[in-house]
């Protein structure tokens, strides 16, 4: 049986959420440390993100921009090896 893709899942881990939505993991984890949200479900000690509810949260003005990647933190050496010019 094939492992489901992130598009097929209804619940995502915080890391999967950051990858799927193109967010900064550092900023996303910092957001989650701030408290409980409607898009978050707890499974024991694990935090899971309800994908549809998180989409609604991201639709609020300014939220996605605040969690977007910060170009200052991209490793320049790694970037050169990925895109040699």
């Amino acid at each position: 049986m094939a492992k489901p893709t992130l598009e097929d899942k209804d619940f995502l881990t915080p890391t999967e959420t950051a990858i799927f939505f193109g967010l900064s993991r550092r900023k996303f984890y910092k957001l989650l440390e701030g408290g409980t949200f409607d898009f978050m479900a707890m499974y024991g000690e694990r935090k899971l993100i309800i994908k549809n509810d998180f989409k609604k949260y991201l639709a609020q003005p300014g939220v996605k921009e605040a969690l977007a990647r910060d170009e200052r933190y991209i490793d320049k050496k790694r970037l050169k090896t990925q895109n040699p010019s």
Side-chain angles (χ1 to χ4, degrees):
M1 183 174 191
K3 188 174 180 181
T5 64
L6 296 182
E7 292 177 0
D8 296 334
K9 291 181 162 186
D10 293 327
F11 295 90
L12 302 171
T13 66
T15 300
E16 290 173 335
T17 303
I19 292 168
F20 184 75
F21 290 101
L23 307 173
S24 165
R25 280 190 353 191
R26 180 183 58 84
K27 289 183 181 180
F28 186 63
Y29 274 95
K30 192 170 188 173
L31 170 74
L32 294 181
E33 288 174 5
T36 325
F37 297 92
D38 292 337
F39 59 78
M40 193 165 54
M42 296 299 291
Y43 183 70
E45 293 291 318
R46 294 180 58 198
K47 293 178 183 175
L48 296 175
I49 308 303
I50 305 166
K51 188 166 55 172
N52 288 333
D53 291 348
F54 188 66
K55 283 181 186 178
K56 292 175 190 174
Y57 177 77
L58 280 182
Q60 298 175 22
V63 172
K64 177 130 184 173
E65 293 79 16
L67 294 173
R69 295 175 200 243
D70 189 344
E71 295 298 322
R72 295 177 295 163
Y73 295 103
I74 293 178
D75 182 3
K76 305 274 188 212
K77 184 177 179 182
R78 188 184 70 182
L79 190 60
K80 282 183 182 178
T81 58
Q82 289 176 350
N83 299 319
S85 35

